[in-house]
């Protein structure tokens, strides 16, 4: 099994969710996060005072899938989240040793 973690722009979440559903992803975890990378934040003006916004809002998606589905999921996220502008996000793929469904006690891919 693979854990795929993607940090994307918030307005792309629904588009990514729909794309993942179409390739067979049946569940995911989503968190609102803040971060920075190459984009490095920006400055804003509030009530006449300028201040730096160093951490930008992002959405983190976590999906556990079978090994053979992982490349398709990564490609699907990349296509759906792409805007062509800086700050589109990152995708990480990690190995998952095991999983367990709490309700039924199922383990491995049956739990996913």
């Amino acid at each position: 099994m693979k854990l795929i973690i993607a940090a994307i722009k918030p307005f792309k979440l629904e588009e990514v969710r729909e794309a993942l559903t179409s390739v067979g992803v049946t569940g995911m975890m989503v968190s609102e996060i803040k971060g920075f990378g190459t984009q490095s934040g920006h400055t804003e003006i509030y009530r006449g005072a300028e201040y730096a916004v160093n951490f930008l809002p992002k959405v983190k998606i976590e999906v556990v899938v079978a090994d053979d589905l992982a490349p398709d999921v990564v490609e699907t996220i990349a296509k759906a989240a792409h805007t062509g502008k800086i700050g589109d996000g990152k995708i990480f793929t990690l190995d998952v040793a095991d999983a367990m469904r709490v309700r039924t006690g199922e383990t491995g891919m049956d739990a996913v």
Side-chain angles (χ1 to χ4, degrees):
M1 292 178 292
K2 299 288 186 191
L3 169 62
I4 299 169
I5 302 170
I8 64 169
K9 292 183 175 184
F11 68 88
K12 286 295 210 169
L13 176 60
E14 188 59 26
E15 191 174 334
V16 170
R17 186 197 63 78
E18 288 174 4
L20 287 175
T21 301
S22 72
V23 295
V25 173
T26 58
M28 67 182 70
M29 296 176 280
V30 177
S31 307
E32 292 181 4
I33 61 171
K34 291 182 183 236
F36 76 93
T38 308
Q39 197 174 5
S40 299
H42 61 278
T43 58
E44 289 186 3
I45 297 176
Y46 179 72
R47 294 189 177 183
E50 186 174 308
Y51 65 98
V53 178
N54 294 319
F55 293 96
L56 300 171
K58 301 286 181 185
V59 172
K60 180 170 75 170
I61 300 170
E62 297 173 274
V63 181
V64 177
V65 296
D67 290 337
D68 60 333
L69 186 57
D72 291 337
V73 170
V74 170
E75 184 179 338
T76 299
I77 293 170
K79 283 182 180 176
H82 180 78
T83 67
K85 296 189 169 74
I86 195 166
D88 273 354
K90 296 273 190 294
I91 303 171
F92 305 98
T93 304
L94 300 104
D95 289 321
V96 175
D98 201 6
M100 179 183 201
R101 184 178 307 218
V102 175
R103 179 178 55 88
T104 63
E106 294 170 295
T107 59
M109 276 308 299
D110 292 336
V112 178

